[in-house]
Amino acid sequence: MELRHLRYFVVTAEAQHFTRAAELLGMAQPPLSQQIRQLEQEVGTPLFDRTGRGVALNDAGRAFLACAQDILQRADAAVRTARRAARGEVGELTLGFTESASFNGVVTELIRQYRQRYPDVEMTLSQGDSETLVAQLREGEIDAAFVRPPFALDGGLRFAQLAEEPLVVALPLGHALARRKRLAPADLARERFILYSRKSGYGLSADIMAACRQHGLNPVIGQRAPQLSSAVNLVAAGMGVAIVPASLRHLRPDGVVYRPFALDWPRAVLGLAVRERAPGGRAANLLRLARDPRKA
Protein backbone atom coordinates (compact mmCIF):
# COMPACT_ATOMS: atom_id res chain seq x y z
CA MET A 1 0.00 0.00 0.00
CA GLU A 2 1.41 3.37 -1.02
CA LEU A 3 0.36 6.94 -0.30
CA ARG A 4 -0.94 7.28 -3.85
CA HIS A 5 -3.42 4.48 -3.19
CA LEU A 6 -4.75 6.40 -0.21
CA ARG A 7 -5.04 9.59 -2.24
CA TYR A 8 -6.90 7.79 -5.01
CA PHE A 9 -9.25 6.32 -2.43
CA VAL A 10 -9.93 9.65 -0.66
CA VAL A 11 -10.62 11.52 -3.91
CA THR A 12 -12.93 8.75 -5.10
CA ALA A 13 -14.75 8.70 -1.76
CA GLU A 14 -15.30 12.44 -1.93
CA ALA A 15 -16.33 12.44 -5.60
CA GLN A 16 -18.52 9.30 -5.22
CA HIS A 17 -17.86 8.56 -8.87
CA PHE A 18 -14.89 6.92 -10.61
CA THR A 19 -15.04 9.10 -13.70
CA ARG A 20 -15.20 12.39 -11.76
CA ALA A 21 -12.45 11.19 -9.44
CA ALA A 22 -10.25 10.26 -12.39
CA GLU A 23 -10.73 13.73 -13.85
CA LEU A 24 -9.77 15.33 -10.55
CA LEU A 25 -6.67 13.15 -10.37
CA GLY A 26 -5.72 13.79 -13.99
CA MET A 27 -5.79 10.15 -15.00
CA ALA A 28 -7.98 7.76 -16.99
CA GLN A 29 -10.88 6.04 -15.27
CA PRO A 30 -9.86 2.36 -15.91
CA PRO A 31 -6.45 2.66 -14.16
CA LEU A 32 -8.13 4.37 -11.21
CA SER A 33 -10.68 1.58 -10.88
CA GLN A 34 -7.87 -0.96 -11.04
CA GLN A 35 -5.92 0.86 -8.28
CA ILE A 36 -9.00 0.93 -6.04
CA ARG A 37 -9.58 -2.81 -6.58
CA GLN A 38 -5.95 -3.50 -5.67
CA LEU A 39 -6.36 -1.43 -2.51
CA GLU A 40 -9.50 -3.32 -1.54
CA GLN A 41 -7.70 -6.62 -2.11
CA GLU A 42 -4.87 -5.52 0.16
CA VAL A 43 -7.26 -4.30 2.86
CA GLY A 44 -9.17 -7.56 2.52
CA THR A 45 -12.66 -6.15 2.10
CA PRO A 46 -14.61 -3.95 -0.32
CA LEU A 47 -14.60 -0.28 0.61
CA PHE A 48 -17.27 0.91 -1.79
CA ASP A 49 -20.75 -0.18 -2.77
CA ARG A 50 -20.98 0.08 -6.57
CA THR A 51 -24.23 1.67 -7.69
CA GLY A 52 -25.60 2.36 -11.12
CA ARG A 53 -24.77 6.06 -10.91
CA GLY A 54 -21.48 5.87 -9.00
CA VAL A 55 -20.02 4.52 -5.77
CA ALA A 56 -20.80 4.97 -2.08
CA LEU A 57 -18.67 4.14 0.95
CA ASN A 58 -19.76 1.14 2.96
CA ASP A 59 -19.08 0.75 6.70
CA ALA A 60 -15.54 -0.49 6.10
CA GLY A 61 -14.92 2.34 3.64
CA ARG A 62 -16.07 5.01 6.08
CA ALA A 63 -13.80 3.64 8.80
CA PHE A 64 -10.90 3.43 6.35
CA LEU A 65 -11.52 6.99 5.06
CA ALA A 66 -10.92 8.59 8.46
CA CYS A 67 -7.61 6.76 8.86
CA ALA A 68 -6.54 7.47 5.28
CA GLN A 69 -7.21 11.20 5.65
CA ASP A 70 -5.22 11.28 8.89
CA ILE A 71 -2.29 9.45 7.29
CA LEU A 72 -2.25 11.82 4.30
CA GLN A 73 -2.40 14.88 6.54
CA ARG A 74 0.49 13.55 8.60
CA ALA A 75 2.49 12.77 5.46
CA ASP A 76 1.89 16.27 4.11
CA ALA A 77 2.88 17.75 7.47
CA ALA A 78 6.07 15.67 7.47
CA VAL A 79 6.98 17.01 4.04
CA ARG A 80 6.35 20.60 5.13
CA THR A 81 8.41 20.12 8.29
CA ALA A 82 11.30 18.59 6.35
CA ARG A 83 11.29 21.49 3.90
CA ARG A 84 11.17 24.01 6.73
CA ALA A 85 14.11 22.26 8.39
CA ALA A 86 16.06 22.43 5.13
CA ARG A 87 15.36 26.17 5.03
CA GLY A 88 16.52 26.53 8.65
CA GLU A 89 13.08 27.50 9.95
CA VAL A 90 12.83 24.80 12.63
CA GLY A 91 15.26 22.90 14.86
CA GLU A 92 17.89 24.01 17.36
CA LEU A 93 20.62 26.62 17.06
CA THR A 94 23.47 26.50 19.59
CA LEU A 95 24.88 30.00 19.74
CA GLY A 96 28.12 30.87 21.51
CA PHE A 97 28.92 34.34 22.75
CA THR A 98 31.61 36.13 24.67
CA GLU A 99 30.39 37.86 27.81
CA SER A 100 31.34 41.25 26.39
CA ALA A 101 29.17 40.59 23.32
CA SER A 102 26.06 40.62 25.48
CA PHE A 103 26.65 44.31 26.22
CA ASN A 104 26.69 45.27 22.54
CA GLY A 105 23.35 46.52 21.21
CA VAL A 106 24.06 45.21 17.70
CA VAL A 107 24.24 41.66 19.05
CA THR A 108 21.07 41.87 21.12
CA GLU A 109 19.18 43.42 18.20
CA LEU A 110 20.37 40.68 15.83
CA ILE A 111 19.18 37.97 18.25
CA ARG A 112 15.83 39.74 18.60
CA GLN A 113 15.37 39.92 14.82
CA TYR A 114 16.35 36.28 14.39
CA ARG A 115 13.89 35.07 17.01
CA GLN A 116 11.17 37.20 15.46
CA ARG A 117 11.84 35.85 11.97
CA TYR A 118 12.40 32.22 12.99
CA PRO A 119 10.19 31.68 16.06
CA ASP A 120 10.25 27.88 15.71
CA VAL A 121 14.03 27.65 16.03
CA GLU A 122 15.02 26.84 19.60
CA MET A 123 18.09 28.86 20.57
CA THR A 124 20.57 27.49 23.10
CA LEU A 125 23.24 29.90 24.38
CA SER A 126 26.79 28.94 25.37
CA GLN A 127 29.20 31.44 26.92
CA GLY A 128 32.97 31.37 26.57
CA ASP A 129 36.00 33.35 25.45
CA SER A 130 36.65 33.87 21.74
CA GLU A 131 39.42 31.27 21.48
CA THR A 132 37.31 28.58 23.14
CA LEU A 133 34.23 29.41 21.07
CA VAL A 134 36.15 29.30 17.78
CA ALA A 135 37.58 25.90 18.75
CA GLN A 136 34.09 24.62 19.63
CA LEU A 137 32.80 25.96 16.34
CA ARG A 138 35.48 24.11 14.37
CA GLU A 139 34.65 20.89 16.24
CA GLY A 140 30.93 21.24 15.56
CA GLU A 141 30.04 21.63 19.24
CA ILE A 142 28.22 24.92 18.54
CA ASP A 143 26.60 26.27 15.37
CA ALA A 144 27.60 29.94 15.48
CA ALA A 145 29.39 32.34 17.81
CA PHE A 146 29.73 36.05 18.53
CA VAL A 147 33.48 36.44 18.86
CA ARG A 148 36.27 38.98 18.68
CA PRO A 149 39.05 38.47 16.11
CA PRO A 150 41.83 37.89 15.36
CA PHE A 151 41.55 34.22 14.61
CA ALA A 152 42.28 32.16 11.53
CA LEU A 153 39.43 31.89 9.05
CA ASP A 154 40.85 28.69 7.61
CA GLY A 155 39.23 25.43 8.52
CA GLY A 156 35.96 26.36 6.86
CA LEU A 157 34.80 29.36 8.89
CA ARG A 158 32.85 32.37 7.68
CA PHE A 159 32.81 35.68 9.54
CA ALA A 160 30.60 38.77 9.40
CA GLN A 161 31.76 41.89 11.23
CA LEU A 162 28.96 43.42 13.29
CA ALA A 163 30.61 46.26 15.19
CA GLU A 164 33.86 48.13 15.51
CA GLU A 165 34.13 50.01 18.79
CA PRO A 166 36.54 52.58 20.18
CA LEU A 167 38.32 51.86 23.44
CA VAL A 168 37.74 53.35 26.87
CA VAL A 169 39.76 53.28 30.06
CA ALA A 170 38.06 51.79 33.13
CA LEU A 171 39.25 53.60 36.25
CA PRO A 172 38.54 53.10 39.95
CA LEU A 173 36.04 55.64 41.29
CA GLY A 174 37.90 58.62 42.76
CA HIS A 175 41.00 58.04 40.65
CA ALA A 176 42.85 61.28 39.83
CA LEU A 177 42.57 60.63 36.08
CA ALA A 178 38.77 60.40 36.34
CA ARG A 179 38.69 64.21 36.32
CA ARG A 180 39.90 64.23 32.72
CA LYS A 181 37.54 63.92 29.78
CA ARG A 182 39.93 61.91 27.60
CA LEU A 183 43.06 59.91 28.32
CA ALA A 184 46.19 59.39 26.23
CA PRO A 185 48.70 56.53 26.62
CA ALA A 186 51.16 58.85 28.38
CA ASP A 187 48.54 59.57 31.06
CA LEU A 188 48.67 55.92 32.11
CA ALA A 189 52.46 55.69 32.53
CA ARG A 190 52.27 55.13 36.31
CA GLU A 191 49.27 52.80 36.28
CA ARG A 192 49.13 49.07 36.77
CA PHE A 193 47.14 47.37 34.01
CA ILE A 194 44.62 44.61 34.38
CA LEU A 195 45.10 42.46 31.31
CA TYR A 196 42.71 40.00 29.72
CA SER A 197 44.74 37.89 27.35
CA ARG A 198 44.33 34.82 25.20
CA LYS A 199 46.32 31.64 25.63
CA SER A 200 47.71 32.12 22.14
CA GLY A 201 49.05 35.57 23.03
CA TYR A 202 47.03 37.18 20.24
CA GLY A 203 43.89 39.27 20.48
CA LEU A 204 42.60 42.71 21.41
CA SER A 205 44.60 42.91 24.64
CA ALA A 206 47.85 42.12 22.82
CA ASP A 207 47.04 44.76 20.19
CA ILE A 208 46.37 47.35 22.91
CA MET A 209 49.70 46.62 24.58
CA ALA A 210 51.49 46.91 21.24
CA ALA A 211 49.80 50.24 20.47
CA CYS A 212 50.74 51.60 23.89
CA ARG A 213 54.38 50.67 23.33
CA GLN A 214 54.31 52.44 19.97
CA HIS A 215 53.30 55.58 21.86
CA GLY A 216 56.12 55.25 24.37
CA LEU A 217 54.14 53.55 27.14
CA ASN A 218 55.48 50.27 28.47
CA PRO A 219 52.45 48.94 30.43
CA VAL A 220 53.04 47.34 33.82
CA ILE A 221 50.79 44.29 34.18
CA GLY A 222 49.40 44.09 37.68
CA GLN A 223 46.79 41.40 37.24
CA ARG A 224 45.42 39.08 34.57
CA ALA A 225 41.67 38.51 34.22
CA PRO A 226 39.91 35.64 32.42
CA GLN A 227 37.61 37.97 30.47
CA LEU A 228 36.68 41.59 29.89
CA SER A 229 33.95 41.82 32.53
CA SER A 230 36.28 40.31 35.10
CA ALA A 231 38.83 43.01 34.31
CA VAL A 232 36.22 45.69 35.01
CA ASN A 233 35.33 44.07 38.33
CA LEU A 234 38.99 44.03 39.31
CA VAL A 235 39.16 47.74 38.48
CA ALA A 236 36.25 48.27 40.88
CA ALA A 237 38.33 46.46 43.52
CA GLY A 238 41.12 49.02 43.02
CA MET A 239 43.60 46.57 41.52
CA GLY A 240 44.47 48.71 38.50
CA VAL A 241 43.07 50.15 35.28
CA ALA A 242 41.82 48.35 32.18
CA ILE A 243 41.33 49.31 28.55
CA VAL A 244 38.11 47.81 27.24
CA PRO A 245 35.63 48.16 24.32
CA ALA A 246 33.28 51.12 24.65
CA SER A 247 30.18 48.92 24.87
CA LEU A 248 31.34 47.71 28.29
CA ARG A 249 30.33 51.10 29.66
CA HIS A 250 26.93 49.44 30.06
CA LEU A 251 28.61 47.30 32.71
CA ARG A 252 28.57 49.63 35.71
CA PRO A 253 29.71 47.99 38.92
CA ASP A 254 30.02 50.30 41.90
CA GLY A 255 33.40 51.94 41.97
CA VAL A 256 34.19 52.21 38.23
CA VAL A 257 34.21 55.16 35.83
CA TYR A 258 35.04 55.15 32.11
CA ARG A 259 36.95 57.67 30.05
CA PRO A 260 37.61 57.68 26.26
CA PHE A 261 41.05 56.48 25.23
CA ALA A 262 42.88 58.63 22.69
CA LEU A 263 44.01 55.89 20.31
CA ASP A 264 42.72 55.50 16.77
CA TRP A 265 44.02 51.91 16.72
CA PRO A 266 43.26 49.29 17.75
CA ARG A 267 39.49 49.20 17.72
CA ALA A 268 37.46 46.40 19.25
CA VAL A 269 35.90 44.31 16.49
CA LEU A 270 32.96 42.02 17.18
CA GLY A 271 31.36 39.68 14.69
CA LEU A 272 29.53 36.45 13.99
CA ALA A 273 31.39 33.29 12.97
CA VAL A 274 29.80 30.15 11.51
CA ARG A 275 31.11 27.01 9.88
CA GLU A 276 31.30 27.05 6.11
CA ARG A 277 29.38 23.77 5.85
CA ALA A 278 27.15 23.95 8.89
CA PRO A 279 24.36 21.33 8.78
CA GLY A 280 20.92 22.78 8.13
CA GLY A 281 20.21 26.38 7.28
CA ARG A 282 19.78 27.83 10.78
CA ALA A 283 23.30 29.24 11.19
CA ALA A 284 23.37 30.36 7.55
CA ASN A 285 20.13 32.27 8.12
CA LEU A 286 21.66 34.02 11.12
CA LEU A 287 24.73 34.93 9.08
CA ARG A 288 22.60 36.28 6.22
CA LEU A 289 20.57 38.31 8.69
CA ALA A 290 23.78 39.71 10.16
CA ARG A 291 25.10 40.72 6.75
CA ASP A 292 21.85 42.05 5.33
CA PRO A 293 18.51 41.77 7.17
CA ARG A 294 16.62 42.24 3.90
CA LYS A 295 18.07 39.06 2.38
CA ALA A 296 17.61 36.65 5.29
Side-chain angles (χ1 to χ4, degrees):
M1 188 183 301
E2 299 179 14
L3 287 177
R4 61 185 175 89
H5 293 123
L6 300 181
R7 291 193 174 93
Y8 294 161
F9 167 75
V10 170
V11 172
T12 303
E14 292 173 348
Q16 298 183 359
H17 199 280
F18 279 118
T19 301
R20 280 198 296 271
E23 291 173 353
L24 292 171
L25 290 166
M27 60 189 300
Q29 185 269 326
L32 174 60
S33 298
Q34 183 180 9
Q35 293 291 326
I36 296 298
R37 283 195 298 270
Q38 291 177 355
L39 176 62
E40 290 176 320
Q41 290 172 0
E42 187 164 355
V43 174
T45 183
L47 301 172
F48 292 101
D49 290 332
R50 275 69 173 174
T51 65
R53 290 183 298 178
V55 294
L57 288 172
N58 56 26
D59 288 344
R62 282 188 289 271
F64 190 77
L65 176 62
C67 294
Q69 290 172 328
D70 180 63
I71 291 170
L72 291 175
Q73 289 171 359
R74 289 175 179 269
D76 290 341
V79 170
R80 290 193 299 271
T81 300
R83 290 173 178 172
R84 292 189 67 204
R87 294 193 299 265
E89 297 174 359
V90 296
E92 182 179 354
L93 177 74
T94 303
L95 180 61
F97 68 99
T98 64
E99 188 177 28
S100 65
S102 63
F103 296 102
N104 191 290
V106 175
V107 170
T108 53
E109 175 62 15
L110 177 59
I111 293 176
R112 187 194 67 79
Q113 291 180 4
Y114 184 84
R115 292 185 65 87
Q116 185 178 49
R117 191 164 299 192
Y118 303 102
D120 294 326
V121 174
E122 182 179 350
M123 187 177 292
T124 301
L125 300 179
S126 175
Q127 184 179 318
D129 60 77
S130 291
E131 277 188 318
T132 299
L133 292 174
V134 169
Q136 291 176 342
L137 192 58
R138 294 187 192 280
E139 294 298 321
E141 297 174 9
I142 59 177
D143 301 312
F146 294 109
V147 291
R148 295 188 182 277
F151 53 83
L153 283 175
D154 58 356
L157 294 186
R158 289 187 289 172
F159 181 77
Q161 181 173 314
L162 300 176
E164 186 178 82
E165 310 170 49
L167 300 171
V168 297
V169 182
L171 300 165
L173 186 66
H175 195 287
L177 293 177
R179 294 193 295 267
R180 302 190 184 186
K181 293 184 177 180
R182 187 177 179 87
L183 298 176
D187 298 326
L188 304 176
R190 297 182 179 180
E191 303 301 323
R192 297 178 70 83
F193 282 72
I194 299 171
L195 190 68
Y196 44 92
S197 58
R198 297 182 179 180
K199 296 176 182 178
S200 65
Y202 299 98
L204 176 62
S205 187
D207 289 342
I208 291 172
M209 295 298 102
C212 287
R213 293 186 183 99
Q214 289 177 6
H215 287 78
L217 171 63
N218 189 21
V220 177
I221 310 302
Q223 184 68 41
R224 295 184 183 271
Q227 51 195 359
L228 288 166
S229 61
S230 302
V232 173
N233 289 327
L234 292 175
V235 171
M239 299 186 68
V241 303
I243 301 173
V244 298
S247 61
L248 260 73
R249 286 180 295 190
H250 297 295
L251 179 63
R252 292 190 174 276
D254 293 338
V256 173
V257 294
Y258 298 93
R259 293 294 179 265
F261 193 41
L263 274 184
D264 294 329
W265 180 90
R267 293 173 70 84
V269 174
L270 179 66
L272 176 70
V274 304
R275 293 195 304 281
E276 185 75 34
R277 297 181 179 180
R282 294 176 294 276
N285 287 342
L286 181 61
L287 183 64
R288 280 194 293 269
L289 190 62
R291 287 175 169 170
D292 189 345
R294 296 166 299 177
K295 295 181 179 179

